[in-house]
Amino acid sequence: AQQPGTPLSDQEYRQFFLSLRAAGRASTACLLRMLYGCQNPLVQRLDEYENHGAIPEGPICSEMPGNPFFPNFCTFSLYRCTRKWYFIKV
């Protein structure tokens, strides 16, 4: 079992986004995030699922080239959505 708040493994990440890839669900999830914000219960459930049941607190380092640091998970997720880089990991 993974520690709550840690990112999914590569295999878990592929499985997580597999359902979102169908029919543009990743962009729909991003639209929900942009419309309702990171405090929306559905958005929070997705964030928790992506991070083993706990949304990481504090700064986030990502695998994004040239932009590896974000002040929190919400900012990281919004950036990922605006760039349409839905499947970039922390």
Side-chain angles (χ1 to χ4, degrees):
Q2 293 288 333
Q3 186 81 351
T6 60
L8 301 177
S9 69
D10 289 344
Q11 181 179 357
E12 290 169 324
Y13 226 76
R14 281 190 293 278
Q15 183 64 33
F16 172 70
F17 281 111
L18 188 62
S19 64
L20 293 178
R21 289 177 195 233
R25 290 185 181 156
S27 62
T28 300
C30 282
L31 180 61
L32 285 173
R33 181 181 300 282
M34 288 187 258
L35 288 174
Y36 300 110
C38 295
Q39 300 307 312
N40 178 275
L42 177 59
V43 172
Q44 286 185 338
R45 277 189 299 220
L46 287 171
D47 290 349
E48 288 171 349
Y49 185 79
E50 184 179 348
N51 293 286
H52 290 106
I55 301 169
E57 295 183 22
I60 299 294
C61 294
S62 77
E63 294 179 353
M64 286 186 191
N67 221 351
F69 179 81
F70 297 89
N72 54 46
F73 191 78
C74 182
T75 304
F76 164 71
S77 296
L78 286 169
Y79 183 83
R80 188 169 62 175
C81 285
T82 59
R83 297 290 184 168
K84 297 182 181 176
W85 294 343
Y86 306 122
F87 312 111
I88 300 286
K89 288 178 58 174
V90 289

